[in-house]
Amino acid sequence: MSAINPDQIHDVEAEKPLVSMRVADIGVALLFLAASGIVIADSIRLGFEWRENEGPAPGYFPFYVAVVMALASVVNLIRALPASQDGATPMTSVQGFGRMSAIFVPAVVYVAAIAFIGIYVSSALYIAAFMLFVGKFPLWKAIAVAGGVSIVSFLMFEVWFLVPLPKGPLEAAFGF
């Protein structure tokens, strides 16, 4: 009889299924159904009719897109409700969820940071962090690429195309 290695136990726990495909399908269908309901309600508020001399009301296209999305969500919900062998398949494991979170959480922080430090500084930090922590690039390469991308983006949008994007205190210090 061989001894159990604690690292193997941890690996087995990490690969433990977190959520099944059936539960994920039901959750996504309900989420999209709720989003469709919100869009439909707001389209009704805005008006979704076709006006004879003016064309479509503001809610016309969103209303019909949301109706199609709601119908598709109902179909997916009906298909996911009965228990089946395919539905029991794990969608992700604990380890897989951790990997997805390692991408999703920094993206949320990046989007939130745009309001405070601007899109160019946020983008530079986001790119550099991913190059350092995920890509394992040297610090000088991460700084060079992140800075280069942000500078080129700034020149392209602010100078050449004259499209103002959210700026923060750094850009304000330089007079932008």
Side-chain angles (χ1 to χ4, degrees):
M1 188 158 144
S2 65
I4 296 175
N5 184 345
D7 292 335
Q8 290 174 334
I9 293 172
H10 178 68
D11 291 342
V12 170
E13 276 297 309
E15 288 303 320
K16 184 173 145 186
L18 184 64
V19 66
S20 70
M21 289 299 290
R22 179 176 180 262
V23 170
D25 287 344
I26 291 170
V28 169
L30 290 173
L31 182 71
F32 273 92
L33 196 56
S36 299
I38 291 168
V39 172
I40 288 170
D42 202 44
S43 295
I44 290 170
R45 182 185 64 81
L46 292 172
F48 64 96
E49 68 278 350
W50 189 278
R51 298 178 181 151
E52 196 146 323
N53 294 330
E54 300 173 28
Y60 183 83
F61 292 110
F63 176 80
Y64 289 105
V65 169
V67 167
V68 170
M69 192 166 83
L71 291 172
S73 297
V74 168
V75 168
N76 286 335
L77 185 60
I78 290 169
R79 291 179 64 195
L81 282 175
S84 69
Q85 189 69 8
D86 290 340
T89 305
M91 185 189 121
T92 189
S93 63
V94 173
Q95 185 179 22
F97 182 75
R99 280 189 242 130
M100 287 187 285
S101 296
I103 302 297
F104 181 71
V105 171
V108 170
V109 171
Y110 163 69
V111 171
I114 290 172
F116 301 102
I117 59 176
I119 195 163
Y120 304 111
V121 175
S122 296
S123 296
L125 293 172
Y126 185 68
I127 291 167
F130 262 85
M131 288 184 73
L132 288 170
F133 299 115
V134 178
K136 307 291 187 214
F137 285 91
L139 179 62
W140 71 270
K141 283 185 180 179
I143 291 171
V145 170
V149 168
S150 290
I151 289 168
V152 168
S153 296
F154 178 83
L155 291 172
M156 185 171 57
F157 288 106
E158 303 289 336
V159 178
W160 300 327
F161 295 146
L162 301 175
V163 176
L165 294 177
K167 289 179 257 337
L170 181 64
E171 294 89 351
F174 286 113
F176 290 99

